[in-house]
Amino acid sequence: MKVSFMKSLQSRIFILFIFLLLCIQMMSFYSTYQAKQNSETVQLNNKIETAKQVFETQLNNRNYYLNAFAETAAKDYGLKNVFTEDRKSFLLALNNHRKRINADLAISIKSDGEITGQLVTYYKNNHKKVKVGSEQGKSFNNFEIFTQTDTTELYYLDAKIYQLSLAPLKSGSRIIGWVGFGYIIDHNLANELAELTGVNISFLLEDPAINNTKEVVSSHSTDEKKYDLKSIQSINAGIDINYISSHFRLGEVNSSNLTALMFQSKVSVLKNIQADWQEFLIIFMFELVLSLFGAYLISAGITRPIKQLIHQIKHIGQGKYDHDVEIDASHELTQLADEFNQMKDAVVAREQLIRHQAYHDSITDLPNRNYLAERLVEYKNKETGFIILQINIRRIKEINDTLGHKVGDKVIIEFSNRLKEFSLEDELFHLGADEFVLISQKLNIENTISQLSVSLDPLFNHESLNLHLQYCIGIAQYPEHQTDDITDLLKKTDIALQYAKKHNRIYQTYDRQFDFNTVERLHLINSLKTAIEQNQLVLHYQPKVSLSSMQISHVEALVRWEHPINGLIPPDSFISIAEQTGQMDALTRWVTKEAVEQYLKWQKLNINIKIAINISAENLKDKSYSDYVIALKEDNNIADYEITLEVTEDAVLSDPQQATEILSYLKSHGFKLSIDDYGTGYSSLAQLKQLPVQELKIDKSFVQQLMQNKDDQIIVRSTIELAHNMGLTVVAEGIEDERTLLWLQKHNCELAQGYFISRPIKADLFQTWLKDCPFTTAKEGKWLKL
Ligand code: C2E
Ligand code: CA
Ligand code: CA
């Protein structure tokens, strides 16, 4: 499975790293940016504020200087002496003073206001010269200066503005005039201040009356750009946001305001910061690239061992356990790899165990049904013949129930050990519980069975208790009983086994006749109901000969199913279905009614024959069937003991108390009750004696080979004797030859039934048969007609 890039762990870690890095970077970027912005604002504010302070200090210094100097000059006797004297000498003296402080303006005013001396500087060929000012001899029109405490003023002269400071000349305490010095506000000043403050400076003259602004002087631009008045104005108005500026009033000149505008382009102020910022950005980008690369390396580093793990675990997933997981990585991942290896070993061990358990029985550790299925396919491919024996230990359930499962298991194990010894060359399987399978390539069935019966010692000792193990065997042959699906062979052995069990045989080889496949069975279940309704059932009658009189005194009604498609179906095939699907009541009622009707017909024809009807466990569960058959008997005035009800001991044993009650009920209403198939069950005669029955029917498995089997003779003889002792009459069924019939007659058996006398046949056939049947009287082994 390919993992898409976005889903892979590596890309996730990578993305996480990038995300974190970007967050950190963005945070640092943001804070740096904020710091930069703040620092810019601070820097810009500082710049203009400092510039303004420097500017003001400079102007104040100049004022202070002018003031102090004017006062010093005013106290100078030399100057005072010539004040009123010679104008030329005074001007010389004044100029001398002016030169000492390199003032641009020197002025003296008489107390009457006449300007007695005025010297101004000017430039000629870049040299500073001095000349007499234009107001010399005129009257001073700035008298308001004197009313102010601060005697420094802005003074306008010949379109130039000066900073002027005046000090009174005193003679005693009388003011005889004033002397003053001034510095011009010109380009030089503007440039000087601009250089000191680092910002551009313009001196503006604003006339509020006519809203007019004139530039007086401006510094050379510090950023080499020439500003015209318009751009200065827009800076001043704060329109041009690329500038910082400060604008303030310095004083009044000719009823206009002299202002200073200090300004600077932000860029030039922030040049350093910008340079730092660029540097920061470059470092930031560089860091980012480095971080991305680092993130990639880290994520790849973390996931590489995991990828190794995944790659190797995939191998394990495919069942390739041969390699250990190895990685070169951190402690935790190495530990993980170790854990994986341990897990892998555990998985291998468990897988082997599970595989073993899947293919072996837990009690005997023999290969089981799964293993058998695989082996059968292999045997089939070998294309050699084989026989397959399904061996069943009988009565394990009883042993479990009476002696406990532990003993049951011991018996099974012991039995399997004996089988193992026998089957050294054959293959043995344990299908579970009491079922074993043997595959043998020795094809002679008789030989195999007789050898097996020698090996399988039937005696089993458990704590001084001797158990007599019984078993029976179903056999199928390959290729004789070949099917498309080889495992169907097992079904065939099973069918053979069931047959052997039912007919009390030690072994039985499969015969196609036994086969009644399940699909057909299912069809039968469905159609049995309609069979009863649509009269597809018929009764055959099998006679019983009274051995004392050699007369046909009874018939047993035996049901058959004339199936429209399957033909005649024997009762063994559908009675059990009827029992399992709750249809037994309907079936028995139909048989009973049919048999009684036939009985009545024969009565009318003067054929005096008693009838026997088979009933099953289902009919003994409650009184409903008994009431039915009693009503039928009474309605038709049938005499007592004309009808025999045959019931197997199994039918009684499922609920003996209830069965006894119902049997007594039937007996009290004049029915003869007979225990069918006697000898096949496990109950003793003494137990059966408790039942209200009058007759015992010895099962055909003891009778069929009676002449050949001494054991059977012993059993049958003692059964007859014991039954008689208990007041029961005896019927023997399964008489297939004359000798058996005579033997039974000799041993006082009351009734005989069997193919030798007649097979079960239809009623009309039975009537014809009866006419010329040989069984009327028997003399010296010769049968004579009546
Ligand atoms: P069952 O009651 O023991 O009936 C006797 C069976 O033995 C009959 O088989 C009969 O054909 C067979 N048989 C009689 N003489 C000989 C003989 O000399 N040799 C051999 N090999 N067999 C002989 P069938 O008719 O196939 O019946 C089989 C079983 O089906 C019956 O055994 C009985 O258990 C059951 N069954 C038949 N009809 C009914 C019925 O109407 N109701 C019930 N509940 N069961 C029935
Ligand atoms: Ca019967
Ligand atoms: Ca029977």
Side-chain angles (χ1 to χ4, degrees):
M1 182 183 60
K2 271 253 173 268
V3 181
S4 81
F5 175 74
M6 285 310 287
K7 281 186 180 163
S8 80
L9 182 61
Q10 181 179 347
S11 56
R12 282 174 187 216
I13 294 174
F14 184 56
I15 288 166
L16 176 70
F17 267 109
I18 291 178
F19 178 72
L20 290 176
L21 281 169
L22 281 181
C23 284
I24 293 166
Q25 294 276 35
M26 289 325 288
M27 269 153 61
S28 99
F29 183 86
Y30 179 74
S31 59
T32 313
Y33 180 77
Q34 282 293 319
K36 171 188 166 267
Q37 292 296 94
N38 291 343
S39 127
E40 271 183 11
T41 323
V42 169
Q43 288 244 11
L44 291 170
N45 288 342
N46 279 354
K47 181 82 184 180
I48 204 75
E49 201 49 44
T50 325
K52 190 181 169 191
Q53 274 172 20
V54 170
F55 178 91
E56 280 173 344
T57 312
Q58 280 302 311
L59 282 194
N60 286 344
N61 281 351
R62 269 168 52 131
N63 272 347
Y64 177 76
Y65 197 41
L66 287 170
N67 213 355
F69 190 71
E71 269 171 22
T72 315
K75 283 170 187 153
D76 183 53
Y77 282 104
L79 197 69
K80 260 197 248 183
N81 286 341
V82 291
F83 184 61
T84 49
E85 303 290 319
D86 177 21
R87 185 150 298 198
K88 194 168 177 198
S89 352
F90 177 73
L91 282 178
L92 276 173
L94 187 66
N95 193 36
N96 282 341
H97 274 285
R98 182 201 64 78
K99 272 200 257 178
R100 279 163 65 190
I101 56 165
N102 198 18
D104 297 303
L105 172 68
I107 194 166
S108 63
I109 307 160
K110 266 210 319 200
S111 55
D112 60 359
E114 187 200 338
I115 295 170
T116 53
Q118 188 178 51
L119 296 169
V120 292
T121 56
Y122 68 98
Y123 281 90
K124 191 175 178 188
N125 300 329
N126 271 344
H127 287 290
K128 210 174 190 179
K129 304 270 179 188
V130 69
K131 66 175 184 184
V132 173
S134 64
E135 289 179 340
Q136 169 107 11
K138 293 183 182 166
S139 97
F140 189 68
N141 51 12
N142 265 53
F143 272 100
E144 59 269 29
I145 288 181
F146 307 120
T147 60
Q148 290 169 6
T149 44
D150 183 2
T151 48
T152 307
E153 244 312 320
L154 293 170
Y155 190 66
Y156 188 79
L157 175 66
D158 296 336
K160 287 178 181 129
I161 296 168
Y162 297 88
Q163 258 184 295
L164 175 66
S165 200
L166 291 169
L169 274 170
K170 290 182 179 169
S171 170
S173 61
R174 189 170 58 90
I175 294 173
I176 53 169
W178 286 270
V179 67
F181 299 92
Y183 284 127
I184 192 166
I185 293 176
D186 67 352
H187 287 288
N188 291 335
L189 176 66
N191 286 340
E192 234 170 74
L193 288 173
E195 215 157 280
L196 268 174
T197 59
V199 301
N200 299 302
I201 291 172
S202 283
F203 288 95
L204 306 172
L205 207 50
E206 299 167 35
D207 188 345
I210 52 170
N211 196 15
N212 183 25
T213 302
K214 275 193 296 191
E215 187 191 52
V216 181
V217 284
S218 275
S219 61
H220 299 305
S221 163
T222 50
D223 43 8
E224 319 252 301
K225 186 182 163 193
K226 281 279 163 241
Y227 296 98
D228 55 12
L229 185 61
K230 217 169 167 193
S231 53
I232 288 170
Q233 274 177 325
S234 73
I235 291 168
N236 184 25
I239 294 168
D240 196 336
I241 52 150
N242 294 319
Y243 286 83
I244 49 166
S245 66
S246 181
H247 183 214
F248 48 93
R249 185 175 176 274
L250 296 172
E252 195 180 299
V253 179
N254 280 353
S255 68
S256 289
N257 288 323
L258 181 73
T259 58
L261 175 67
M262 305 178 79
F263 63 94
Q264 185 62 287
S265 89
K266 287 180 182 175
V267 178
S268 68
V269 177
L270 300 174
K271 222 180 261 166
N272 286 340
I273 293 180
Q274 296 293 357
D276 286 354
W277 180 243
Q278 274 168 11
E279 209 172 286
F280 171 76
L281 275 182
I282 291 167
I283 293 171
F284 177 78
M285 294 312 291
F286 185 66
E287 261 178 28
L288 195 66
V289 171
L290 267 186
S291 315
L292 290 182
F293 186 62
Y296 176 77
L297 287 184
I298 292 171
S299 63
I302 292 176
T303 52
R304 185 174 38 86
I306 296 177
K307 281 181 183 163
Q308 278 180 328
L309 268 183
I310 293 170
H311 180 74
Q312 299 182 49
I313 289 164
K314 264 186 192 161
H315 268 266
I316 294 175
Q318 288 160 357
K320 299 173 188 163
Y321 297 120
D322 43 345
H323 286 297
D324 269 354
V325 175
E326 279 167 16
I327 54 169
D328 46 1
S330 66
H331 179 65
E332 287 86 345
L333 287 172
T334 318
Q335 208 178 339
L336 183 64
D338 287 347
E339 294 291 330
F340 267 121
N341 285 330
Q342 283 177 21
M343 191 183 80
K344 183 201 73 182
D345 294 343
V347 167
V348 170
R350 212 168 323 143
E351 220 172 70
Q352 279 168 352
L353 184 69
I354 290 170
R355 190 181 292 269
H356 186 86
Q357 282 172 349
Y359 283 100
H360 291 82
D361 184 86
S362 56
I363 299 177
T364 57
D365 208 34
L366 280 171
N368 64 7
R369 189 182 291 274
N370 296 338
Y371 199 80
L372 172 61
E374 288 184 11
R375 288 296 288 149
L376 275 177
V377 175
E378 287 164 23
Y379 269 106
K380 187 187 177 186
N381 293 341
K382 277 190 201 166
E383 288 182 351
T384 50
F386 60 90
I387 57 171
I388 168 165
L389 291 84
Q390 186 167 343
I391 307 156
N392 176 264
I393 318 173
R394 302 198 74 171
R395 305 201 190 175
I396 278 294
K397 191 180 174 309
E398 280 79 52
I399 294 174
N400 281 339
D401 289 350
T402 52
L403 300 172
H405 281 265
K406 268 192 184 163
V407 180
D409 286 356
K410 268 190 184 171
V411 170
I412 290 170
I413 291 167
E414 179 57 30
F415 191 81
S416 87
N417 288 339
R418 290 175 191 176
L419 274 175
K420 273 182 208 166
E421 268 167 42
F422 167 77
S423 61
L424 289 177
E425 293 155 51
D426 310 315
E427 227 175 323
L428 183 63
F429 303 84
H430 186 186
L431 306 195
D434 50 5
E435 218 103 302
F436 292 86
V437 160
L438 194 74
I439 299 181
S440 176
Q441 286 176 303
K442 291 173 260 165
L443 300 180
N444 189 324
I445 294 175
E446 267 83 47
N447 269 351
T448 309
I449 294 292
S450 65
Q451 284 166 16
L452 189 67
S453 59
V454 172
S455 295
L456 283 179
D457 178 3
L459 282 179
F460 177 82
N461 293 318
H462 170 70
E463 291 172 1
S464 73
L465 193 76
N466 284 335
L467 293 173
H468 196 267
L469 290 187
Q470 288 188 6
Y471 56 91
C472 63
I473 305 170
I475 304 168
Q477 284 169 287
Y478 184 84
E480 287 80 353
H481 301 136
Q482 188 174 9
T483 44
D484 293 343
D485 183 356
I486 189 73
T487 51
D488 275 353
L489 265 187
L490 276 183
K491 286 184 194 155
K492 300 196 161 158
T493 58
D494 196 49
I495 289 166
L497 178 69
Q498 297 315 320
Y499 191 93
K501 267 189 200 172
K502 193 171 165 81
H503 297 86
N504 274 317
R505 298 193 179 163
I506 289 184
Y507 76 96
Q508 175 68 53
T509 308
Y510 170 79
D511 190 301
R512 216 166 281 273
Q513 277 183 5
F514 310 153
D515 211 346
F516 212 87
N517 82 44
T518 25
V519 183
E520 276 175 59
R521 226 177 109 85
L522 271 176
H523 279 303
L524 282 188
I525 292 174
N526 279 334
S527 50
L528 184 60
K529 197 162 176 272
T530 42
I532 300 170
E533 286 162 3
Q534 294 176 359
N535 262 338
Q536 288 175 10
L537 301 180
V538 285
L539 286 186
H540 284 201
Y541 298 91
Q542 189 178 30
K544 296 177 188 172
V545 174
S546 164
L547 289 176
S548 55
S549 65
M550 279 299 169
Q551 282 183 348
I552 307 294
S553 54
H554 295 74
V555 280
E556 181 181 0
L558 293 160
V559 70
R560 275 102 184 81
W561 182 356
E562 286 182 335
H563 195 277
I565 298 161
N566 293 350
L568 200 69
I569 301 174
D572 284 333
S573 305
F574 64 91
I575 294 288
S576 59
I577 296 174
E579 273 167 347
Q580 285 155 24
T581 54
Q583 301 183 75
M584 210 52 221
D585 186 54
L587 190 127
T588 312
R589 282 179 193 227
W590 182 90
V591 170
T592 307
K593 188 167 172 281
E594 186 75 14
V596 166
E597 276 170 15
Q598 189 57 56
Y599 166 84
L600 294 170
K601 273 184 205 162
W602 283 332
Q603 287 290 311
K604 275 189 186 159
L605 293 172
N606 244 343
I607 303 172
N608 291 318
I609 286 183
K610 300 177 175 31
I611 51 157
I613 297 165
N614 293 285
I615 61 171
S616 79
E618 199 64 24
N619 309 120
L620 295 177
K621 285 215 170 113
D622 54 47
K623 273 177 135 185
S624 94
Y625 172 76
S626 335
D627 286 338
Y628 174 82
V629 73
I630 290 166
L632 203 64
K633 174 176 175 276
E634 285 170 1
D635 289 351
N636 293 294
N637 292 319
I638 297 172
D640 283 353
Y641 309 121
E642 287 289 291
I643 302 174
T644 304
L645 297 175
E646 294 187 8
V647 52
T648 59
E649 52 185 294
D650 301 358
V652 177
L653 287 177
S654 61
D655 184 357
Q657 206 184 335
Q658 170 79 0
T660 310
E661 211 170 284
I662 294 192
L663 290 178
S664 305
Y665 181 55
L666 286 166
K667 189 182 173 189
S668 67
H669 283 86
F671 287 92
K672 187 173 176 187
L673 301 172
S674 175
I675 289 291
D676 204 353
D677 299 347
Y678 175 76
T680 55
Y682 307 120
S683 26
S684 64
L685 255 182
Q687 280 172 308
L688 294 179
K689 180 70 184 74
Q690 314 294 318
L691 296 172
V693 295
Q694 299 102 316
E695 186 183 81
L696 207 69
K697 209 171 167 186
I698 300 175
D699 189 66
K700 54 182 170 285
S701 57
F702 300 99
V703 182
Q704 280 166 312
Q705 276 106 35
L706 191 63
M707 289 302 99
Q708 297 90 303
N709 194 322
K710 288 267 178 283
D711 286 348
D712 285 350
Q713 290 177 13
I714 295 166
I715 293 168
V716 173
R717 193 169 51 214
S718 52
T719 305
I720 296 171
E721 278 170 18
L722 280 168
H724 286 166
N725 287 343
M726 291 191 291
L728 303 174
T729 56
V730 179
V731 186
E733 64 174 9
I735 294 148
E736 295 184 350
D737 53 57
E738 188 181 6
R739 284 177 65 213
T740 306
L741 184 93
L742 293 172
W743 189 95
L744 287 164
Q745 189 185 39
K746 197 174 130 196
H747 288 93
N748 300 323
C749 178
E750 275 82 8
L751 289 169
Q753 180 182 359
Y755 289 173
F756 176 68
I757 300 151
S758 168
R759 287 184 176 255
I761 43 178
K762 280 190 174 174
D764 46 354
L765 246 170
F766 176 74
Q767 264 170 252
T768 346
W769 173 84
L770 201 57
K771 271 183 203 155
D772 13 76
C773 89
F775 308 102
T776 43
T777 50
K779 278 177 190 151
E780 293 148 15
K782 277 214 159 190
W783 296 102
L784 296 176
K785 247 183 143 184
L786 253 183

